[in-house]
Amino acid sequence: MKRSNKPIFWSLFGAGGMLSALVGPALIYKTGFSSQALGYERALLLAQNGFGKLAILAVIGLFLFHGCHRLYHSLHDFGIHVGPGLKAAFHGFAAAGTLAAAVLLAHIS
Amino acid sequence: MNTITIECLRYHPESDAEPRFQSWPVPFTDDMSVLQGLQYIKDHLDGSLTFRWSCRMAICGSCGAMVNGVPRLTCETFLRDLYPGPVRIEPLNHFPIVRDLAIDQADFLGKLQSVKPYIIPDAEPQGTYLQTPEQMERYYQYSKCINCLLCYAACPQYGLNDRFTGPAALALLHRYNADSRDAGKAERMEVVNTEDGVWGCTLVGYCSEVCPKGVDPARAVNQNKIESTKDYFFRFFRK
């Protein structure tokens, strides 16, 4: 029987789900409504630190993988059966976004 | 004595081009179940109505049907709770109809067989197997499944893709994997790990809601997503 590759995407989905539930609302508040706490200056300091870069990458990448995986499955739930092409597009978008974030973070010094 | 209208899906493939509904007024007492209502119709109003039943006490799992759109055992659903009605009875969702309310269970039975729902002991069993209450607790709730298929009728994923192994078969798979006397986990993981194994589930959870025996198939399936993920990544370190 053919083994599914879902464990890879489900792990990323699960990690993103947990992270978004734990820090998502707080991040929206801190960056969107309470700019003093995590304004540009402080966010830049965070992005200049090695661990800070990793944390930002995790938040962006895992949120993307979580969201894309959910959208992909929601289409199936609505009876729109997406083939492997669109599946690759969803996960590819998340991977590209993660890669772009990694590259940009690496350029912040 | 009150009367309630029972509206039943009829389908006799030899004479009906497609399913139709038929209604009967059924007199009932407070202690009468939907199943007894159907039996009243068969005995007094229309002997050609076909439905499955046996134990009348939620043990055999034969009498499942959609009652007002919800998968229920008709033997433990009471007409008094559905009054003033009408009560709409249909065969379980997602299964082919053999005749009236009787569905074809062949697909499920094949899946049940595929999960090896029996204890596969070690090569050399060493006398009596002792089991602590804690060890029994790990699988006990899953052993209460009566194969009534309400969970398959509830599962939207099974409705969309009938290759999905489905809630009851996966819960029973877990029942044996979680049993300390069993050594067949590796064989069953092959089913778990496929696209149509646990990965066909998106954790809707309706299966656990409709189960008449308090089994939680959604939990079994999702515990096995973790098992499958561990199996996927750790297989490289095992050999």
Side-chain angles (χ1 to χ4, degrees):
Chain A
M1 278 178 270
K2 193 170 171 282
R3 189 188 274 277
S4 167
N5 62 10
K6 280 270 175 65
I8 300 169
F9 301 105
W10 184 75
S11 307
L12 291 164
F13 164 78
M18 192 162 79
L19 196 65
S20 61
L22 288 175
V23 306
L27 275 178
I28 291 168
Y29 176 71
K30 288 285 187 193
T31 55
F33 299 102
S34 168
S35 57
Q36 283 170 325
L38 196 62
Y40 177 77
E41 295 298 328
R42 287 190 182 190
L44 184 63
L45 280 173
L46 184 66
Q48 283 167 335
N49 177 281
F51 289 110
K53 284 183 205 292
L54 275 180
I56 294 170
L57 184 65
V59 163
I60 295 171
L62 293 176
F63 273 43
L64 271 174
F65 272 105
H66 180 81
C68 289
H69 191 77
R70 194 175 279 287
L71 282 172
Y72 164 71
H73 275 292
S74 299
L75 283 177
H76 175 75
D77 289 347
F78 283 121
I80 304 162
H81 304 296
V82 290
L86 206 53
K87 183 182 177 182
F90 270 103
H91 289 129
F93 175 77
T98 308
L99 197 67
V103 170
L104 288 172
L105 280 166
H107 279 84
I108 296 173
S109 53
Chain B
M1 194 183 272
N2 284 319
T3 297
I4 194 164
T5 300
I6 294 186
E7 191 180 36
C8 213
L9 187 134
R10 305 296 311 269
Y11 179 57
H12 287 191
E14 71 278 8
S15 54
D16 296 335
E18 55 184 53
R20 61 198 160 85
F21 280 96
Q22 191 174 354
S23 299
W24 300 272
V26 175
F28 72 99
T29 49
D30 271 355
D31 59 350
M32 269 175 71
S33 63
V34 171
L35 175 62
Q36 283 173 295
L38 293 172
Q39 287 169 327
Y40 181 90
I41 297 169
K42 191 166 179 78
D43 291 346
H44 302 283
L45 305 173
D46 187 340
S48 71
L49 181 66
T50 303
F51 51 95
R52 286 199 185 98
W53 63 278
S54 177
C55 78
R56 297 160 293 145
M57 48 192 181
I59 296 291
C60 75
S62 308
C63 70
M66 306 301 290
V67 178
N68 290 337
V70 178
R72 300 292 307 260
L73 292 181
T74 54
C75 69
E76 60 163 13
T77 308
F78 287 88
L79 289 170
R80 62 171 187 262
D81 297 327
L82 305 167
Y83 188 76
V87 185
R88 178 173 273 223
I89 318 281
E90 293 160 279
L92 286 175
N93 273 353
H94 308 151
F95 289 98
I97 301 171
V98 176
R99 192 175 170 89
D100 294 340
L101 301 177
I103 50 123
D104 183 357
Q105 305 154 318
D107 182 55
F108 168 72
L109 294 174
K111 281 165 182 163
L112 185 61
Q113 207 167 7
S114 78
V115 303
K116 303 187 177 172
Y118 38 82
I119 286 177
I120 300 171
D122 277 332
E124 287 178 49
Q126 316 238 318
T128 312
Y129 284 97
L130 297 179
Q131 201 165 50
T132 65
E134 287 76 24
Q135 286 172 327
M136 190 176 134
E137 197 54 44
R138 258 172 242 148
Y139 69 82
Y140 181 64
Q141 66 137 317
Y142 304 107
S143 72
K144 293 193 290 183
C145 173
I146 56 172
N147 302 344
C148 66
L149 306 185
L150 299 198
C151 54
Y152 282 77
C155 176
Q157 295 305 334
Y158 181 66
L160 287 165
N161 166 25
D162 64 10
R163 291 188 313 274
F164 175 38
T165 310
L170 288 167
L172 281 162
L173 179 150
H174 185 65
R175 176 254 173 275
Y176 288 95
N177 274 0
D179 193 316
S180 59
R181 297 165 293 183
D182 181 85
K185 186 174 176 181
E187 294 174 43
R188 295 191 197 95
M189 284 311 286
E190 287 183 24
V191 179
V192 169
N193 290 335
T194 60
E195 197 74 14
D196 296 320
V198 290
W199 301 109
C201 164
T202 54
L203 191 45
V204 173
Y206 194 30
C207 53
S208 300
E209 223 173 284
V210 302
C211 178
K213 304 307 287 183
V215 181
D216 190 349
R219 182 179 158 82
V221 174
N222 285 280
Q223 278 186 327
N224 280 289
K225 283 183 187 168
I226 298 168
E227 289 300 314
S228 180
T229 303
K230 287 197 307 206
D231 198 74
Y232 188 89
F233 291 110
F234 294 158
R235 72 194 142 131
F236 305 112
F237 305 105
R238 228 179 278 132
K239 282 162 191 167

Coordinates of all heavy atoms in Angstrom, one line a residue, chain A residues 77, chain B residues 64-67 69-72 91-95 103 148-160 164 166-168 201-212 215 217-218:
Chain A
D77 N -13.9 20.0 0.8 CA -15.1 19.9 1.6 C -16.3 20.5 0.8 O -17.4 20.1 1.0 CB -15.0 20.7 2.9 CG -14.0 19.9 3.9 OD1 -13.8 18.7 3.6 OD2 -13.6 20.5 4.9
Chain B
G64 N -29.9 1.0 12.1 CA -29.5 2.4 11.8 C -30.2 3.0 10.6 O -30.4 2.3 9.6
A65 N -30.7 4.2 10.7 CA -31.3 4.9 9.6 C -31.2 6.4 9.9 O -30.8 6.8 11.0 CB -32.8 4.5 9.5
M66 N -31.5 7.2 8.8 CA -31.5 8.6 9.0 C -32.9 9.0 9.5 O -33.9 8.7 8.9 CB -31.3 9.3 7.6 CG -30.0 8.9 6.9 SD -28.5 9.2 7.8 CE -28.4 11.0 7.8
V67 N -32.9 9.5 10.7 CA -34.2 9.9 11.3 C -34.2 11.5 11.3 O -33.4 12.1 12.0 CB -34.4 9.4 12.7 CG1 -35.7 9.9 13.3 CG2 -34.3 7.9 12.8
G69 N -33.0 13.3 9.1 CA -31.7 13.7 8.6 C -30.5 13.4 9.5 O -29.4 13.7 9.1
V70 N -30.8 12.8 10.6 CA -29.7 12.5 11.6 C -29.5 11.0 11.7 O -30.5 10.3 11.8 CB -30.0 13.1 13.0 CG1 -28.9 12.7 14.0 CG2 -30.2 14.6 12.9
P71 N -28.3 10.5 11.6 CA -28.1 9.0 11.7 C -28.4 8.6 13.1 O -27.8 9.0 14.1 CB -26.6 8.8 11.3 CG -26.0 10.1 11.1 CD -27.0 11.2 11.3
R72 N -29.3 7.7 13.3 CA -29.7 7.2 14.6 C -30.0 5.7 14.6 O -30.3 5.1 13.5 CB -31.1 7.8 15.0 CG -31.1 9.4 15.1 CD -30.2 9.9 16.2 NE -30.6 9.3 17.5 CZ -31.3 9.9 18.5 NH1 -31.8 11.1 18.2 NH2 -31.5 9.3 19.6
P91 N -32.7 5.6 4.4 CA -31.6 4.7 4.7 C -30.4 5.5 5.0 O -30.3 6.7 4.7 CB -31.4 4.0 3.3 CG -32.2 4.7 2.3 CD -33.2 5.6 3.0
L92 N -29.4 4.9 5.7 CA -28.2 5.6 6.0 C -27.5 6.3 4.8 O -27.4 5.6 3.8 CB -27.2 4.6 6.7 CG -27.5 4.2 8.1 CD1 -26.6 3.1 8.6 CD2 -27.6 5.4 9.1
N93 N -27.1 7.5 5.0 CA -26.4 8.2 4.0 C -25.2 7.5 3.5 O -24.5 6.8 4.3 CB -26.0 9.6 4.5 CG -27.1 10.7 4.4 OD1 -28.1 10.4 3.8 ND2 -26.8 11.8 4.9
H94 N -24.8 7.8 2.3 CA -23.5 7.4 1.7 C -23.4 5.9 1.4 O -22.3 5.4 1.0 CB -22.3 7.7 2.6 CG -22.3 9.2 3.1 ND1 -21.8 9.6 4.3 CD2 -22.8 10.3 2.5 CE1 -22.0 10.9 4.4 NE2 -22.5 11.3 3.3
F95 N -24.5 5.1 1.5 CA -24.4 3.7 1.1 C -25.4 3.4 0.0 O -26.5 4.0 0.0 CB -24.8 2.8 2.3 CG -23.7 2.8 3.4 CD1 -23.7 3.6 4.5 CD2 -22.6 2.0 3.2 CE1 -22.7 3.7 5.4 CE2 -21.5 2.0 4.2 CZ -21.6 2.8 5.3
I103 N -29.5 -1.0 3.5 CA -28.3 -0.6 2.7 C -27.3 -1.7 2.5 O -27.4 -2.7 3.2 CB -27.6 0.6 3.4 CG1 -27.3 0.3 4.9 CG2 -28.4 1.9 3.3 CD1 -25.9 0.4 5.2
C148 N -22.6 -0.3 13.5 CA -23.9 0.1 13.1 C -23.8 1.1 11.9 O -24.9 1.3 11.2 CB -24.7 0.8 14.2 SG -23.9 2.3 14.8
L149 N -22.6 1.6 11.6 CA -22.4 2.5 10.4 C -23.0 3.9 10.5 O -23.0 4.6 9.5 CB -22.8 1.8 9.1 CG -22.2 0.4 8.9 CD1 -22.6 -0.1 7.5 CD2 -20.7 0.4 9.0
L150 N -23.5 4.3 11.7 CA -24.0 5.6 11.8 C -22.9 6.6 11.6 O -23.1 7.7 11.0 CB -24.5 5.9 13.2 CG -25.7 5.1 13.8 CD1 -26.3 5.8 15.0 CD2 -26.8 4.8 12.7
C151 N -21.6 6.3 12.0 CA -20.5 7.2 11.8 C -20.2 7.4 10.3 O -19.7 8.4 9.9 CB -19.3 6.7 12.6 SG -18.8 5.0 12.3
Y152 N -20.4 6.3 9.5 CA -20.1 6.4 8.1 C -21.2 7.3 7.4 O -20.9 8.1 6.5 CB -20.1 5.1 7.4 CG -18.8 4.4 7.6 CD1 -18.5 3.7 8.8 CD2 -17.8 4.3 6.6 CE1 -17.3 3.1 9.1 CE2 -16.6 3.7 6.9 CZ -16.4 3.1 8.1 OH -15.2 2.5 8.3
A153 N -22.4 7.2 7.9 CA -23.5 8.1 7.4 C -23.2 9.5 7.8 O -23.7 10.5 7.1 CB -24.8 7.6 7.9
A154 N -22.5 9.7 8.9 CA -22.3 11.1 9.4 C -21.1 11.7 8.8 O -21.0 12.9 8.7 CB -22.1 11.0 11.0
C155 N -20.1 10.9 8.3 CA -18.8 11.4 7.9 C -18.9 12.1 6.5 O -19.1 11.4 5.5 CB -17.8 10.3 7.8 SG -16.2 10.8 7.2
P156 N -18.7 13.4 6.4 CA -18.7 14.0 5.1 C -17.6 13.6 4.2 O -17.7 13.6 3.0 CB -18.7 15.5 5.4 CG -18.1 15.6 6.8 CD -18.4 14.3 7.5
Q157 N -16.5 13.2 4.8 CA -15.3 12.8 4.0 C -15.6 11.4 3.3 O -15.3 11.2 2.1 CB -14.1 12.7 4.8 CG -13.6 14.0 5.3 CD -13.4 15.1 4.3 OE1 -13.2 14.8 3.1 NE2 -13.6 16.4 4.6
Y158 N -16.3 10.5 4.0 CA -16.7 9.3 3.4 C -17.7 9.5 2.3 O -17.7 8.9 1.2 CB -17.2 8.3 4.4 CG -17.6 7.0 3.9 CD1 -16.7 6.1 3.4 CD2 -19.0 6.6 3.8 CE1 -17.0 4.9 2.8 CE2 -19.3 5.4 3.3 CZ -18.3 4.5 2.8 OH -18.7 3.3 2.2
G159 N -18.5 10.5 2.5 CA -19.5 10.9 1.5 C -18.9 11.4 0.2 O -19.3 11.2 -0.9
L160 N -17.8 12.1 0.4 CA -17.1 12.7 -0.8 C -16.1 11.7 -1.5 O -15.9 11.8 -2.6 CB -16.2 13.9 -0.3 CG -17.0 15.2 0.0 CD1 -16.1 16.1 0.8 CD2 -17.5 15.9 -1.2
F164 N -12.1 6.2 1.4 CA -11.6 6.5 2.8 C -12.0 5.3 3.7 O -13.1 4.9 3.7 CB -12.3 7.8 3.3 CG -12.1 8.2 4.7 CD1 -10.8 7.9 5.3 CD2 -13.1 8.7 5.5 CE1 -10.6 8.3 6.6 CE2 -12.9 9.1 6.8 CZ -11.6 8.9 7.4
G166 N -12.5 5.2 6.8 CA -13.7 5.6 7.6 C -13.5 5.4 9.1 O -12.7 4.7 9.6
P167 N -14.5 6.0 9.9 CA -14.4 6.1 11.3 C -14.4 4.7 12.0 O -13.5 4.5 12.8 CB -15.6 6.9 11.7 CG -16.3 7.4 10.5 CD -15.6 6.8 9.3
A168 N -15.4 3.9 11.8 CA -15.5 2.7 12.6 C -14.3 1.7 12.4 O -13.7 1.2 13.3 CB -16.8 2.0 12.3
C201 N -9.2 11.8 6.7 CA -10.1 12.5 7.8 C -9.6 14.0 7.9 O -8.4 14.3 7.9 CB -9.9 11.8 9.1 SG -10.4 12.7 10.5
T202 N -10.6 14.9 8.0 CA -10.3 16.3 8.3 C -10.8 16.7 9.6 O -11.0 17.9 9.9 CB -10.8 17.2 7.2 OG1 -12.2 17.0 7.0 CG2 -10.1 16.9 5.9
L203 N -11.0 15.8 10.5 CA -11.4 16.1 11.9 C -12.7 16.9 12.0 O -12.8 17.9 12.6 CB -10.3 16.7 12.7 CG -10.4 16.9 14.2 CD1 -11.0 15.6 14.9 CD2 -9.1 17.3 14.9
V204 N -13.7 16.5 11.3 CA -15.0 17.1 11.4 C -15.6 16.7 12.8 O -16.2 17.6 13.5 CB -16.0 16.7 10.3 CG1 -17.4 17.2 10.5 CG2 -15.4 17.1 8.9
G205 N -15.5 15.5 13.2 CA -15.9 15.0 14.5 C -17.3 14.6 14.7 O -17.8 14.2 15.7
Y206 N -18.1 14.7 13.6 CA -19.5 14.3 13.6 C -19.7 12.8 13.9 O -20.7 12.4 14.5 CB -20.2 14.7 12.3 CG -21.8 14.7 12.4 CD1 -22.5 14.9 13.5 CD2 -22.5 14.4 11.2 CE1 -23.9 14.9 13.5 CE2 -23.9 14.4 11.2 CZ -24.5 14.7 12.4 OH -25.9 14.7 12.4
C207 N -18.7 12.0 13.5 CA -18.7 10.5 13.8 C -18.9 10.3 15.2 O -19.7 9.4 15.7 CB -17.5 9.9 13.2 SG -15.9 10.6 13.7
S208 N -18.1 11.0 16.1 CA -18.1 10.7 17.5 C -19.4 11.2 18.1 O -19.9 10.7 19.1 CB -16.9 11.5 18.1 OG -15.7 11.0 17.6
E209 N -20.0 12.3 17.5 CA -21.2 12.8 18.0 C -22.4 11.9 17.9 O -23.2 11.7 18.7 CB -21.5 14.1 17.2 CG -22.0 15.3 18.1 CD -22.1 16.5 17.2 OE1 -21.0 17.1 16.9 OE2 -23.2 16.9 16.9
V210 N -22.4 11.2 16.7 CA -23.6 10.3 16.4 C -23.4 8.9 17.0 O -24.4 8.1 17.0 CB -23.9 10.2 14.9 CG1 -24.2 11.6 14.3 CG2 -22.8 9.5 14.2
C211 N -22.2 8.5 17.5 CA -22.0 7.1 17.9 C -22.9 6.8 19.1 O -22.9 7.5 20.1 CB -20.6 6.9 18.3 SG -20.3 5.2 18.9
P212 N -23.7 5.7 19.0 CA -24.7 5.4 20.0 C -24.0 4.7 21.2 O -24.7 4.4 22.2 CB -25.7 4.5 19.3 CG -24.9 3.8 18.2 CD -23.9 4.8 17.8
V215 N -18.3 5.6 21.6 CA -17.0 5.5 21.0 C -16.6 6.8 20.4 O -17.5 7.6 20.0 CB -16.9 4.4 19.9 CG1 -15.6 4.2 19.3 CG2 -17.4 3.0 20.5
P217 N -14.5 7.8 17.5 CA -13.7 7.5 16.4 C -12.8 8.6 16.0 O -11.6 8.4 15.6 CB -14.7 7.1 15.3 CG -16.0 6.9 15.9 CD -15.9 7.7 17.2
A218 N -13.3 9.8 16.1 CA -12.5 11.0 15.7 C -11.1 11.0 16.5 O -10.1 11.3 15.9 CB -13.2 12.3 15.9

